[in-house]
Amino acid sequence: MGIKGFQGTSLLDFPGRIASLIFWGGCNLTCPFCHNPALVLDPESWPDLDPDALLGDLAGRTSFIDGVVVTGGEPTLDPALGDWLAAVKTLGLAVKLDTNGLRPDVLAGLLARRLVDRLAIDLKTSPARYGQLHAGPVAFAGLTTSVRLALAAPVTVEFRTTCVPGLIDEPDLRELGELVYGAPLWVLQQYHPAAALAPDWRDVAPYAPAKMASLAAVAREYVGEVVVKGL
Ligand code: SF4
């Protein structure tokens, strides 16, 4: 666990468009389609970056970056995350958090301290199938709580789904759509199998663009805007 990677300047979907990207190691899932398997399966093979040194680096970038994107792995596993983000905020930088939403208590704490400006929560498959994302038990109720917290918080929220054949099809999207009904934005991402965590998922063919368009049409019945990425 801890900060494992840092990309100083990146053009992203972020208010202002320029942010530094920071990767946390470790995750509470092992999604077979994960495209960051080294961070998930063997985070200790990466040295921890010094959090204070990283703050110093960010301080030197405040004239040309607008914020930081906190991603992983799963950043909410780090007990030091909140205090580190508080230090980031003192630099005048905005914070975007990418999370799988399974640690609602941590998310609630970050939101209460107003440490997050933009929040992206993954919706990976229908609730009954979350058990396919990890060898151990998965408490899906945590994601439901996180969705409620996100929709009630004064932050910019997006939900994200990688459309992996075998995990996402129309019935799954409809169940997730009920969960996030009325949300402002749902991003559907194309599956890119080459670097998938599970070797046998590297042979799964992504959906054709026409199928992605039909899934997007389904998602639009539930939220304000749907964006398809990665085609
Ligand atoms: S896709 Fe995200 S939640 Fe799933 S194992 Fe990878 S980092 Fe963890």
Side-chain angles (χ1 to χ4, degrees):
M1 215 173 298
I3 303 171
K4 301 294 183 178
F6 173 55
Q7 188 175 331
T9 306
S10 188
L11 282 174
L12 297 162
D13 290 333
F14 192 92
R17 301 287 295 167
I18 298 178
S20 290
L21 191 56
I22 303 167
F23 297 89
W24 262 254
C27 192
N28 46 1
L29 292 178
T30 42
C31 306
F33 58 87
C34 178
H35 64 276
N36 274 332
L39 278 177
V40 171
L41 296 178
D42 192 16
E44 298 316 317
S45 67
W46 301 63
D48 282 348
L49 300 182
D50 180 70
D52 293 331
L54 193 48
L55 284 171
D57 194 318
L58 290 172
R61 295 170 186 269
T62 54
S63 63
F64 59 90
I65 66 170
D66 304 284
V68 300
V69 176
V70 173
T71 190
E74 178 50 48
T76 62
L77 295 176
D78 184 351
L81 178 65
D83 288 344
W84 193 80
L85 292 183
V88 169
K89 297 292 283 181
T90 67
L91 300 176
L93 295 172
V95 171
K96 179 191 177 207
L97 172 65
D98 293 342
T99 179
N100 61 27
L102 294 175
R103 303 206 75 202
D105 292 350
V106 175
L107 181 60
L110 298 177
L111 293 172
R113 295 171 68 184
R114 297 186 179 274
L115 298 177
V116 175
D117 301 283
R118 189 178 184 108
L119 180 59
I121 297 181
D122 291 341
L123 310 170
K124 296 178 182 297
T125 186
S126 50
R129 303 174 77 181
Y130 257 69
Q132 298 176 37
L133 304 177
H134 198 45
V138 179
F140 183 84
L143 178 58
T144 303
T145 303
S146 288
V147 167
R148 290 193 186 121
L149 286 168
L151 292 176
V155 299
T156 303
V157 178
E158 67 180 67
F159 296 98
R160 304 185 307 190
T161 297
T162 301
C163 295
V164 185
L167 285 173
I168 285 289
D169 210 333
E170 180 176 335
D172 310 292
L173 274 189
R174 291 199 179 280
E175 286 192 57
L176 294 170
E178 295 292 342
L179 180 68
V180 300
Y181 189 82
L185 176 62
W186 193 355
V187 177
L188 301 186
Q189 301 173 152
Q190 176 63 294
Y191 175 49
H192 294 285
L197 180 149
D200 50 343
W201 286 63
R202 295 172 197 158
D203 298 325
V204 174
Y207 282 134
K211 175 69 175 182
M212 291 293 290
S214 73
L215 293 174
V218 170
R220 282 190 189 98
E221 297 178 29
Y222 297 90
V223 300
E225 181 183 9
V226 173
V227 175
V228 177
K229 292 185 177 176
L231 293 179

